[in-house]
Amino acid sequence: MRESTKTSNVPVAAALAALSFLVYLANLRPMGAYDSIPARLLPLSLLREGNFDLDEFPWLRRRGLPYFLAEGEDGRVFSKYPVLTPVLLLPVAYPLQLWLVRNGVEDEEVAFRVATLVFERVGAALLASLSVALLFAAASRIASLRVALATSLVYAFGTSTWSISSQALWQHGAAELALAGLCWTMVRGPTRGGLLLAGLFAAGGVAARPTMAVFAVLAVWFVARTRRDLLGWFLLFPSLLAPLLLAYNRHATGAPTGGYPLRQALVLPDPLVLPALLLSPNRGLFVYTPVTVLTLLAVAGRYRRLLPPWGGPLALGCALYVLPLLFWKKWWAGWTYGPRFFTDVLPGLALLSLPAAQGLVTRARMRRAVVALALWGVLVQALGVWCDDGSWNREPVPVQRDPARVWSLQDPQILRAFRSGWHGFDLLPLLRSTWNRESPALLRPLEPPELAHALRATGRSARELLGGCAVELEIEIENLCETTWPAFSDFAFLDVGLLYRWVEKAEATHPLYGQYPVRRGAESGFLPLPKNLGPQKTLRFRKKLRAPSGREGLALELRLVQRLDGRRVVHARRGFSPLRLELPEGCAGALLASPHSPW
């Protein structure tokens, strides 16, 4: 492939990074990623105490040791996941720490949790946007400027880089940044400085996400084969970082490999896993990002000869990266949107697709097909970022209990996200109240009298929706006590909201106070308040629910609760009697207030 005539495209790369950063931050909504809680708290621990433990946040262990923490040999608790990402974001966390100290924000306040969430969003967007810039820098050296720019934009907004990496501090953002940087240094040509930087990116990728070791090993082999005399420069940073990484893992988790329970996580391979990861309507790479098919055309077709020298090891690395997923017990990647596990290798897939893209865009018909595939990817990612409410992962059956749901065509996740409607500014009311320090709320267990309220459904309707029923509720809540209700905890614990469940019309409500059990198998969920609700204040907000399909004679129960058992809402401290709304037969007409409702 002919190299770009321009030797430097730094202004274009910077503009791409700035554009990506702004778009990534444009959706003001929490993503509900519990895995990333240690990554958003660890920089504060480093700035406050200069250590890697998280003992200064006792609220993390109110209900035992959560799955994302590990207890070290000395009894202190550490993040179970790699810590490179939090370390990289220390400069971003410093202004956050100054704001917390200046405003006297306690760690138990909702304002603290919201502020750390904002830090997470900024940090994740920064890492993802930098990977876009590095990918463009690499692509512009082996393709025309127009194709390199188009490929970088598709990578930024038509892949899981937008819906996954840029939204939360999972390990994927730093892994993408490392792989994009490694590719950039490898296509620049073998120089001392370039290989020294390549070694830093390779070692950083492993430190950020251990599975990226496959690219580090292939990079060592590639350098040893092409420039053995400069191999020492490449190995300098890996030889320095490897002992530090092993020492931290052993100290924090007791194992040199870190907190991954490999014995429990690995199973015998299932031959249907790979088709599911590539083609299934709810996790398939070619469904959520169909433009990646160009990578196959470039690697296996006539465009293979146009790949740069690094293209061969890169393609092998992407193929080998998939193999462990076949043995991974939770290959569907948990509660996520689309093919999350492929996010790490997206820079490699984008770079490998360049020869096919360069050749196809010269033909009008093929160019239109490529543009259509790219636009589909952008649309799918936009739905995930702006609309998806995560309900597909938990309803009607949690995906971990029935992984075969990834093949469901009756209720695809993309269509469920479209039906969820606009959620782009869900976090805005909470951000406003936090910034203005309006109604500060502490996250503590509330007694039933502190949940005294009036609950009214002021505008509600039901309509047919592809075999189910979409219920649009307009809820009005009045705080009748002297306590400010916390609306956000980032850990689904001690926040106040509405517990809803679908019940038979003839079923009686439980009249007692105290713990309110939700029966196993009941279709239920939790609607958080949009912002803290102060004493004697009234709040009105709208929510859309989806009634269970194929069932008649249903009623919807709404009850104000404080969550005490995390995301599952198995137990909650409840307020007064629930508001019951009856669903008319066949979803025709409006919901009707039940005569049994006290409101």
Side-chain angles (χ1 to χ4, degrees), residues 376-438:
W376 169 258
V378 173
L379 173 63
V380 169
Q381 299 305 316
L383 288 174
V385 168
W386 295 96
C387 301
D388 180 53
D389 60 358
S391 63
W392 186 91
N393 293 291
R394 63 178 182 268
E395 299 170 0
V397 179
V399 65
Q400 67 269 22
R401 287 170 50 189
D402 185 14
R405 288 186 58 217
V406 302
W407 288 104
S408 173
L409 290 172
Q410 296 179 343
D411 183 26
Q413 187 179 26
I414 297 172
L415 186 57
R416 179 82 74 93
F418 175 75
R419 294 170 178 168
S420 298
W422 180 263
H423 290 280
F425 296 143
D426 285 359
L427 195 59
L428 188 57
L430 196 56
L431 285 174
R432 287 174 176 170
S433 61
T434 300
W435 181 259
N436 298 329
R437 306 290 286 138
E438 174 188 334

Side-chain angles (χ1 to χ4, degrees), residues 2 46 115 161 233 236 243 258 273 285 312 411 417 435 505 557:
R2 184 171 54 85
L46 290 170
T161 304
W233 291 93
L236 178 61
V273 169
L285 175 67
D411 183 26
W435 181 259
K505 290 181 181 180
E557 279 191 1

Side-chain angles (χ1 to χ4, degrees), residues 60-73:
L60 287 174
R61 293 190 287 171
R62 274 185 175 148
R63 299 193 63 85
L65 192 68
Y67 69 91
F68 48 75
L69 294 182
E71 190 170 359
E73 298 175 351

Side-chain angles (χ1 to χ4, degrees), residues 186-490:
M186 286 300 184
V187 300
R188 290 179 62 206
T191 63
R192 287 184 179 181
L195 291 180
L196 184 68
L197 197 56
L200 178 61
F201 282 121
V206 178
R209 189 158 176 80
T211 50
M212 299 297 288
V214 62
F215 294 102
V217 172
L218 288 171
V220 172
W221 171 79
F222 179 73
V223 174
R225 187 170 62 91
T226 57
R227 289 300 302 268
R228 183 179 295 271
D229 57 317
L230 297 179
L231 182 60
W233 291 93
F234 178 86
L235 294 176
L236 178 61
F237 281 115
S239 62
L240 294 176
L241 290 178
L244 295 177
L245 177 62
L246 294 175
Y248 171 80
N249 286 341
R250 181 171 292 278
H251 175 69
T253 66
T257 56
Y260 291 95
L262 296 181
R263 291 183 180 179
Q264 295 83 1
L266 297 179
V267 295
L268 293 177
D270 187 336
L272 296 179
V273 169
L274 184 59
L277 292 174
L278 295 177
L279 301 172
S280 68
N282 300 301
R283 286 294 186 269
L285 175 67
F286 296 148
V287 175
Y288 284 77
T289 312
V291 75
T292 51
V293 73
L294 296 181
T295 302
L296 295 181
L297 295 178
V299 173
R302 62 177 180 173
Y303 299 104
R304 181 172 53 186
R305 59 184 177 80
L306 300 177
L307 288 171
W310 168 242
L314 180 61
L316 179 60
C318 292
L320 293 176
Y321 199 86
V322 180
L323 289 181
L325 300 181
L326 307 183
F327 297 85
W328 198 250
K329 186 177 182 180
K330 298 181 179 180
W331 53 267
W332 57 89
W335 285 25
T336 184
Y337 182 78
R340 180 167 67 91
F341 283 158
F342 277 107
T343 307
D344 308 326
V345 300
L346 286 174
L349 298 180
L351 201 66
L352 291 170
S353 70
L354 285 172
Q358 184 83 48
L360 294 177
V361 295
T362 58
R363 290 179 282 175
R365 181 175 299 178
M366 298 305 299
R367 181 169 62 249
R368 287 194 292 268
V370 171
V371 170
L373 294 177
L375 291 179
W376 169 258
V378 173
L379 173 63
V380 169
Q381 299 305 316
L383 288 174
V385 168
W386 295 96
C387 301
D388 180 53
D389 60 358
S391 63
W392 186 91
N393 293 291
R394 63 178 182 268
E395 299 170 0
V397 179
V399 65
Q400 67 269 22
R401 287 170 50 189
D402 185 14
R405 288 186 58 217
V406 302
W407 288 104
S408 173
L409 290 172
Q410 296 179 343
D411 183 26
Q413 187 179 26
I414 297 172
L415 186 57
R416 179 82 74 93
F418 175 75
R419 294 170 178 168
S420 298
W422 180 263
H423 290 280
F425 296 143
D426 285 359
L427 195 59
L428 188 57
L430 196 56
L431 285 174
R432 287 174 176 170
S433 61
T434 300
W435 181 259
N436 298 329
R437 306 290 286 138
E438 174 188 334
S439 300
L442 290 177
L443 288 158
R444 62 176 181 83
L446 302 177
E447 296 299 324
E450 294 180 290
L451 292 172
H453 67 282
L455 179 61
R456 294 174 288 272
T458 58
R460 60 270 186 194
S461 63
R463 58 188 176 87
E464 292 283 356
L465 184 60
L466 296 181
C469 180
V471 180
E472 297 178 354
L473 298 173
E474 187 174 291
I475 306 298
E476 185 176 271
I477 303 177
E478 183 179 357
N479 185 346
L480 301 179
C481 64
E482 299 301 322
T483 302
T484 299
W485 296 336
F488 178 76
S489 71
D490 84 356

Side-chain angles (χ1 to χ4, degrees), residues 52-63:
F52 285 90
D53 70 69
L54 297 173
D55 286 350
E56 63 267 40
F57 305 110
W59 51 272
L60 287 174
R61 293 190 287 171
R62 274 185 175 148
R63 299 193 63 85

